[in-house]
Amino acid sequence: MVAFGKKVVKYRIPILIISILLLIPSVFGYVNTRVNYDVLTYLPEDIETMKGQEIMIDDFGTGAFSMFIVDGMEDKNVAKLKAEIEQVDHVTKVLWYDSVADISVPESMLPDEIYKVFNSDTGTMMAIFFDEGTSADATMDAIADIRKLAGKQCFLSGMSAIVTDTRDLAEKETPIYVLIAVALSTLVLGLTMDSFFVPILFLLSIGMAILYNLGSNYFLGEISYITKALTAVLQLGVTMDYSIFLMHSYEEQQVRYDGDKKRAMAHAISQTFSSVIGSSVTTVAGFIALCFMSFTLGKDIGVVMAKGVIFGVITCVTILPSMILCCDKLIEKTKHKPLLPDISKISEKVTKRYLVYVVIFLVLLVPAIYGNSHTKVYYNLDETLPKDLPSIIANEKLKEDYDMNTTHMLLIDSAVPSSDVNKMLKKIENVDGVKWALGLDKLVGPGIPSDMIPDSVTKMLKNDKYQMVLINSEYKVASDEVNAQIAEINDIMDQYDENAMLVGEGPLTSDLISITDRDFKTVSAVSIGIIFVIIMILFGSVTIPVILVGVIEFAIFVNMGIPFYTGTTLPFVASIVIGTIQLGATVDYAILMTTRYKRERSRGADKFHAITTAHQASAQSIIVSALSFFAATVGVGLYSNIDMISSLCILMARGAIVSMVVVVLVLPSMFMVFDKVIVKTSKDFLPKGAAVK
């Protein structure tokens, strides 16, 4: 690798020119990568609810629907507004009072239960159906067009409206996330390193890696808004270690080679690459573990972040060294005394008092595990958004005025006799929390003869394959009550048609809960297993992986256990991915210290001096890196109005500090306790022929 380092030093100017030119296709790719704002679309395509969604689009031409509330408007003006909405692109049909009867027909002629579906004490409601899916660009554009037509007394609810508001909020906030992360990271690095200009070079090189990563997402087709919002912040935090390691190695090599900066950089590149290759492989493996989720949002985040780490390593050993050498004079002019105290002074205290930290570890282990396993999560997607968004206000109004919290859609074979359908609807309406069940057979009756129902309405609710029933539920999406309700409705519909399907946000979210619960266990097992094997190969040891993974998992348990004791409920995505993210980030710190411990032990040092030296050599880099990661994420966590983003960033920020403390204090203590076992069960931890000291 020294030869590679010499090539980088020699061709530093061409490297910088090429790296700048590569930004052009990267920006093009970034701008043209579609962003998906509906996390429910990441559910497996083969589950019944997702198949039902496809049937809705293919057979009924209905992909998404929204409830539209109009207050204080005369019927003739509502009818006029309805006609205008029907002309909006990608709106297939609007179902209202005048869809089944002329507005001149007295209300008394309508069955009371039908009238109540569309009306409340304050106004009226209509159902708007779209020809594409909930999160399709066309649907979101249609939502925006409908809002332009609507007045202040109109409220558009539903999942598509929530997705549209999520998109608008995320697009507004994401650039600010990057600015906050860059500003706070620059501040921390400027104070903790010995030059004010070096952090700028770090952020420029990492910024290039982030752009390369985001640009290459073009080939994936699309990414989720969570991935887009977090990639820059997360990649900055996770790959900052490599830049810090390179700079510290470069400074050490300058002392070794008496100020010959080119030679020092060549050797620093070689040493850095050797040091980070193991940690970067484990970090990549941690993110790849997310790809084992059947809920493919994990794959979305995992692939993008794995690419990000690879780009981070490449830029760290090519672009960053070139920048440092080209900007040497500026670096020298901005030298200052670091704010961080000399960590080496506490290293001996840590190794001498190791039993104290082992006891603390044992005392905290049980409450950490208990808290981690009892932290509550929520799955209701509108809980992640501010309460003053138009869609959230509309949903609340729908609940207050119409007792509607969610709407299920039941697809049943069109061959099922009307008498059986009516019996089924009556049973469904008797289910706890069901306000009404509305299908074609419910509309056609003594109050409304079949010849009064327009063909457009008939075709919307029934075709030669299926008939569709709308079911209004009082219960909130993702609640235990609605999940029990869904199970009971499924039992009833199976009595009349074994192939019937229940679709909509409620059933999809119910599937999401069961699927992600399994995914969490899968990801945890796979990530731990992969990293365990890599560490075992890396160090030629069967005990080092146990100690490292055990210590890192302890840090994760502490971080994830805190919300339980503070009464905080987390979004489900945070509980799934944070363990992998923290595992991937923390393993860098642990491998850095372990590598130095192994080197000192193999050179003949006893355990006390080997562990103390390893601590002295690595603690400062670990602290600077962790503080940088903390700075990059905590500001975003405090600023973001999207709880999905905010919670993840707060967890990552706290996880960086918890991991730093655990690796700096607990890991060396574990080495002190298990040193004899380690050297006996590990390769090359002692000089040949040497006895254990």
Side-chain angles (χ1 to χ4, degrees), residues 65-216:
F65 76 96
S66 290
M67 295 300 183
F68 187 67
I69 302 169
V70 182
D71 280 351
M73 188 180 289
E74 293 183 7
D75 283 353
K76 62 179 182 179
N77 292 329
V78 175
K80 183 180 177 183
L81 178 59
K82 171 180 176 272
E84 290 176 349
I85 292 172
E86 286 178 321
Q87 298 305 309
V88 171
D89 286 345
H90 301 287
V91 171
T92 57
K93 185 64 185 173
V94 182
L95 183 63
W96 183 56
Y97 170 37
D98 73 346
S99 299
V100 294
D102 192 272
I103 58 173
S104 62
V105 174
E107 294 170 358
S108 58
M109 287 189 64
L110 278 176
D112 188 53
E113 58 182 333
I114 298 296
Y115 177 78
K116 286 180 179 178
V117 169
F118 297 107
N119 296 279
S120 71
D121 294 337
T122 57
T124 189
M125 176 190 70
M126 58 184 81
I128 302 174
F129 295 86
F130 304 91
D131 61 9
E132 293 201 29
T134 301
S135 59
D137 292 335
T139 303
M140 289 190 280
D141 291 342
I143 293 286
D145 290 340
I146 292 169
R147 283 175 170 169
K148 290 175 184 175
L149 294 173
K152 290 183 178 179
Q153 75 269 47
C154 301
F155 305 87
L156 188 63
S157 69
M159 196 61 203
S160 292
I162 290 172
V163 169
T164 303
D165 286 341
T166 302
R167 178 194 65 182
D168 296 342
L169 186 59
E171 286 182 351
K172 182 177 73 174
E173 289 193 350
T174 299
I176 301 173
Y177 298 160
V178 178
L179 289 175
I180 291 172
V182 168
L184 293 179
S185 292
T186 303
L187 178 63
V188 168
L189 291 169
L191 294 173
T192 55
M193 301 199 72
D194 62 0
S195 169
F196 288 119
F197 190 69
V198 165
I200 295 173
L201 298 182
F202 283 4
L203 293 169
L204 282 173
S205 65
I206 294 172
M208 285 182 166
I210 291 169
L211 270 175
Y212 299 152
N213 188 22
L214 291 171
S216 65

Side-chain angles (χ1 to χ4, degrees), residues 367-501:
I369 293 173
Y370 183 84
N372 174 68
S373 60
H374 288 80
T375 292
K376 293 181 179 179
V377 299
Y378 67 81
Y379 294 83
N380 194 352
L381 300 178
D382 61 11
E383 291 288 337
T384 73
L385 300 172
K387 301 304 178 187
D388 59 352
L389 287 181
S391 58
I392 306 302
I393 293 171
N395 282 355
E396 283 300 311
K397 188 164 182 61
L398 195 65
K399 176 185 174 183
E400 292 171 6
D401 295 355
Y402 296 87
D403 289 329
M404 289 183 69
N405 246 317
T406 186
T407 302
H408 315 313
M409 285 173 286
L410 170 60
L411 295 174
I412 190 169
D413 195 319
S414 59
V416 176
S418 295
S419 57
D420 285 348
V421 173
N422 283 322
K423 289 177 185 176
M424 180 187 71
L425 294 183
K426 286 181 181 178
K427 287 184 179 180
I428 289 174
E429 286 182 332
N430 288 326
V431 174
D432 287 345
V434 172
K435 287 293 291 182
W436 47 258
L438 181 65
L440 187 62
D441 290 300
K442 189 75 169 284
L443 292 176
V444 177
I448 307 175
S450 58
D451 57 1
M452 283 183 64
I453 306 294
D455 286 343
S456 59
V457 175
T458 303
K459 290 177 181 178
M460 184 174 69
L461 296 175
K462 189 172 184 178
N463 60 31
D464 58 344
K465 292 182 182 178
Y466 299 96
Q467 51 187 311
M468 180 172 65
V469 175
L470 300 179
I471 302 171
N472 171 25
S473 172
E474 297 177 357
Y475 297 145
K476 201 169 187 178
V477 170
S479 64
D480 293 338
E481 292 83 4
V482 83
N483 291 336
Q485 180 189 83
I486 288 167
E488 192 171 347
I489 293 172
N490 274 315
D491 289 340
I492 292 170
M493 69 188 197
D494 286 346
Q495 296 171 18
Y496 298 90
D497 180 8
E498 290 183 355
N499 296 316
M501 300 178 185

Side-chain angles (χ1 to χ4, degrees), residues 350 354 357-358 360-362 364-365 368 547-560 562 582 586-587 589-591 593-594 615 618-619 622-623 626 654-671:
V350 172
Y354 70 94
Y357 302 113
V358 171
I360 293 172
F361 166 81
L362 294 173
L364 292 178
L365 183 60
I547 294 169
L548 264 56
V549 171
V551 168
I552 294 168
E553 285 297 310
F554 168 69
I556 294 170
F557 291 157
V558 169
N559 187 27
M560 288 298 295
I562 289 173
Q582 191 174 346
T586 312
V587 78
Y589 310 154
I591 288 176
M593 186 177 289
T594 307
H615 192 279
S618 58
I622 292 169
I623 292 171
R654 186 172 62 222
I657 300 301
V658 171
S659 294
M660 176 191 76
V661 172
V662 169
V663 172
V664 169
L665 299 179
V666 177
L667 184 59
S669 302
M670 290 298 177
F671 289 157

